[in-house]
Amino acid sequence: VTGTFGDRLVARVAERRSQIVLGLDPDPARLWPAGASVAQEAKGDVAHRVASGVVAHCRAVIDAAGAECVAVKPQVACFERLGAPGWAALHEVAEHARAAGLLVLADAKRGDIDVSAAAYAQAFFGGVSTPWGEVPGLHADALTVNPLLGADSIVPFLTAARTSGAGLFLLVRTSNEGARDVQEAELTGGGILSDRLAALVARLGSEAGPLSDVGAVVGATAPEHLARLRDLMPRAVFLLPGVGAQGGRVEALAAAFSPGAAGGLIAASRGIVRAHESVGGDPAGAAHAAAADLRKQAWALGSSGSGQPDAGV
Amino acid sequence: VTGTFGDRLVARVAERRSQIVLGLDPDPARLWPAGASVAQEAKGDVAHRVASGVVAHCRAVIDAAGAECVAVKPQVACFERLGAPGWAALHEVAEHARAAGLLVLADAKRGDIDVSAAAYAQAFFGGVSTPWGEVPGLHADALTVNPLLGADSIVPFLTAARTSGAGLFLLVRTSNEGARDVQEAELTGGGILSDRLAALVARLGSEAGPLSDVGAVVGATAPEHLARLRDLMPRAVFLLPGVGAQGGRVEALAAAFSPGAAGGLIAASRGIVRAHESVGGDPAGAAHAAAADLRKQAWALGSSGSGQPDAGV
């Protein structure tokens, strides 16, 4: 791996002319026919059958919509609930995404202290050395991390990420209603808790290149925070969930792209994977069309950013 | 399962006369000989060999020290870094702990929104129904949850926990130095962020019984917060990490036990599992002695709580 996460992302976004991140949140009850038929015919216990269906489903989704995207974002919870076969499925899906030229942003929202944080980082990045050899990690290109435990809990993740040329996305302002409960707590020094989390993002991130290797999760559902958070984190990549089903609108996200086309990544899951439920047709065709529309909409908005004018040409 | 988590915990603590939680943070490079020899002789790839060694190690630790404890606390990161075999190992270790009469507190610090939170809850509690049958969950008795995403992110965990008679422990004030960065942010309404998290614990917890089913992680390294946090969460079980290696002292934890003997649970990992490194002797004997000492020390302090006088007799 060469280059920092920021540099790699800028190059990949320019190459694919896309800022769309394909969310993979497989629900066993809603697999595409390509996945359901594999689970139906698979041998073994229920978890293995479902996990094999999940892999086939995610592969089909990637094959259908991946060309319009720059990355996938597997929701780790959806794999973890399938136990050991689910973890194997997560590795298989990541491998398929990489083979399709996509970055892998593991949405795991992990957070823990010292050696435990380092152990999670081993799981998601480079693996662990043992007296019996190496156990491989997921080799994700980035991981979402929950910063409630503070800077010293983030450093082990960051150290491991940098060794792999990978990045982190810290939760700064999530897309749910309840984000207000804690993240909008008002601080005596002024501002809200999200602002303090944003300061952590800015402080911990790399200083080289146009974009830092520590980004921020900023919900597209709360665009009123976007410009202020951008000021606080001028070089952070914003991972923007909540477009579509949750009510976020692409056109409200312009501030995310001020450092350049790769400054904002728009995560979409249901809007792509379940597009056929609202527009009809086969799932693959509907997913491709939905991803293509979203890509064009975002690219029109995001490729005019001042920082990376040539990335948008 | 009958009864709430609080009721079950009160009964179990009284029965075992222990408030000690045995932390299981297996490091492949530091397995007990009983674990290392299994890994050495196991067939298969590295991950499977190491995972089998981890299971043997954790079983030996439980067999040595479990009788002095009321629960185990597997650090999920240490299993997750072994991939799919690690998840299978986690399930095996939980099963062994239950067979030894111990509660299982899964230390996973998960946190996510709506359907993703529900998916994590399926992984750690009751499992998931699929068109091809049930995939079993870990059936943990409790799970640590990160509350940064707010009340609506906690509700899916709590709903699933209650269905299983299980509980949650929300992170309120963690044991690391960096906890100050975010958790001690000062709020305009007075107090610090941890106080707001404590209010969430108090608000979301059950109202029946002497102890709530929503507890709090409160580091034993910051006893200056303990009395205030106890006032804010009068019926919450405090899970207290940080005794021993991290510098926390049992005698500073009295406020945790004010609702009764089961009001405070002292988590210890290195101090038990690696006791032989400082006192010599075989690991099992040293672990048993360390756990027994800690149990007596805590019981002397904690069984005089006003809420449950008879639990300490």
Side-chain angles (χ1 to χ4, degrees):
Chain A
V1 176
T2 54
T4 66
F5 175 68
D7 291 342
R8 292 170 59 222
L9 183 67
V10 165
R12 200 71 71 99
V13 164
E15 180 189 310
R16 297 184 72 105
R17 300 176 68 85
S18 176
Q19 300 120 322
I20 306 304
V21 175
L22 178 58
L24 299 171
D25 308 13
D27 176 348
R30 289 175 177 274
L31 300 181
W32 284 9
S37 63
V38 166
Q40 186 63 37
E41 285 156 31
K43 307 291 182 202
D45 65 18
V46 175
H48 279 92
R49 292 180 66 192
V50 177
S52 66
V54 159
V55 171
H57 165 87
C58 291
R59 281 171 169 265
V61 170
I62 291 166
D63 293 347
E68 301 293 331
C69 304
V70 69
V72 293
K73 183 176 76 65
Q75 168 50 260
V76 175
C78 294
F79 295 86
E80 194 160 291
R81 66 176 157 189
L82 303 178
W87 267 84
L90 177 62
H91 278 250
E92 282 189 65
V93 168
E95 193 49 58
H96 190 75
R98 270 192 289 272
L102 296 159
L103 298 173
V104 176
L105 318 182
D107 191 2
K109 299 186 176 69
R110 296 298 190 260
D112 215 310
I113 67 172
D114 59 63
V115 293
S116 305
Y120 278 127
Q122 290 170 332
F124 287 99
F125 296 121
V128 54
S129 290
T130 81
W132 302 278
E134 289 283 325
V135 178
L138 186 66
H139 295 295
D141 296 287
L143 176 69
T144 55
V145 169
N146 184 316
L148 179 66
L149 284 75
D152 67 6
S153 76
I154 297 162
V155 168
F157 285 105
L158 190 53
T159 303
R162 284 178 177 164
T163 302
S164 307
L168 304 180
F169 289 95
L170 305 193
L171 304 184
V172 169
R173 208 298 182 180
T174 53
S175 60
N176 57 318
E177 274 290 317
R180 298 175 205 279
D181 296 342
V182 181
Q183 296 161 37
E184 295 194 9
E186 293 182 7
L187 307 186
T188 53
I192 61 175
L193 190 79
S194 287
D195 301 347
R196 180 169 293 206
L197 302 177
L200 265 181
V201 167
R203 177 156 71 86
L204 293 171
S206 59
E207 293 180 1
L211 291 174
S212 161
D213 54 3
V214 179
V217 174
V218 180
T221 50
E224 67 274 19
H225 295 294
L226 211 56
R228 191 186 75 258
L229 292 174
R230 178 47 87 198
D231 285 344
L232 292 169
M233 301 178 281
R235 294 173 49 259
V237 182
F238 282 15
L239 179 59
L240 303 151
V243 164
Q246 289 183 63
R249 291 159 47 250
V250 172
E251 56 271 30
L253 305 177
F257 299 104
S258 61
L265 298 175
I266 295 176
S269 174
R270 278 173 278 182
I272 294 173
V273 180
R274 287 161 55 180
H276 61 290
E277 293 179 14
S278 47
V279 304
D282 77 298
H288 181 266
D293 281 354
L294 196 57
R295 186 192 73 76
K296 279 178 210 141
Q297 213 186 333
W299 193 252
L301 183 77
S303 63
S304 56
S306 56
Q308 292 287 305
D310 53 351
V313 175
Chain B
V1 176
T2 55
T4 66
F5 175 69
D7 291 342
R8 292 170 58 221
L9 183 66
V10 165
R12 200 71 72 98
V13 164
E15 179 189 309
R16 297 184 72 105
R17 301 176 67 86
S18 176
Q19 300 119 322
I20 306 305
V21 175
L22 178 58
L24 299 171
D25 307 15
D27 175 348
R30 290 174 177 274
L31 300 181
W32 283 9
S37 63
V38 166
Q40 186 63 36
E41 285 155 31
K43 308 290 183 203
D45 65 20
V46 175
H48 280 92
R49 291 180 68 192
V50 177
S52 65
V54 159
V55 171
H57 165 88
C58 291
R59 281 171 168 265
V61 170
I62 290 167
D63 293 347
E68 302 292 331
C69 304
V70 69
V72 293
K73 183 176 75 68
Q75 167 51 258
V76 175
C78 294
F79 295 87
E80 195 161 291
R81 65 176 157 188
L82 303 178
W87 267 84
L90 177 62
H91 278 251
E92 283 189 65
V93 168
E95 194 49 58
H96 190 75
R98 270 192 290 272
L102 296 159
L103 298 174
V104 176
L105 317 183
D107 191 3
K109 300 186 177 67
R110 296 298 191 259
D112 214 311
I113 67 171
D114 59 63
V115 293
S116 305
Y120 278 126
Q122 290 170 332
F124 287 99
F125 297 120
V128 54
S129 290
T130 81
W132 301 277
E134 289 283 326
V135 178
L138 187 66
H139 295 295
D141 295 286
L143 177 69
T144 56
V145 168
N146 184 315
L148 179 66
L149 284 75
D152 67 5
S153 75
I154 297 161
V155 167
F157 285 105
L158 190 52
T159 303
R162 284 178 177 165
T163 302
S164 306
L168 304 180
F169 289 95
L170 304 194
L171 305 184
V172 169
R173 209 297 182 181
T174 53
S175 60
N176 57 317
E177 274 291 318
R180 298 175 206 278
D181 296 341
V182 181
Q183 297 161 39
E184 295 193 8
E186 294 181 6
L187 308 186
T188 52
I192 61 175
L193 191 79
S194 287
D195 302 347
R196 179 168 294 207
L197 302 177
L200 264 182
V201 167
R203 177 156 72 85
L204 293 171
S206 59
E207 292 179 3
L211 290 173
S212 161
D213 54 4
V214 179
V217 174
V218 179
T221 50
E224 68 275 18
H225 295 294
L226 211 56
R228 191 185 76 256
L229 292 174
R230 177 47 88 199
D231 285 345
L232 293 168
M233 301 179 281
R235 294 173 51 259
V237 181
F238 282 16
L239 178 59
L240 303 151
V243 164
Q246 289 183 61
R249 291 157 49 249
V250 172
E251 56 271 29
L253 305 177
F257 298 103
S258 62
L265 298 175
I266 294 177
S269 174
R270 277 173 279 182
I272 295 173
V273 180
R274 287 161 54 180
H276 61 289
E277 293 178 14
S278 47
V279 304
D282 78 298
H288 181 266
D293 281 353
L294 196 57
R295 185 192 73 77
K296 280 179 211 140
Q297 212 186 334
W299 193 251
L301 183 77
S303 63
S304 56
S306 57
Q308 292 287 304
D310 52 352
V313 176

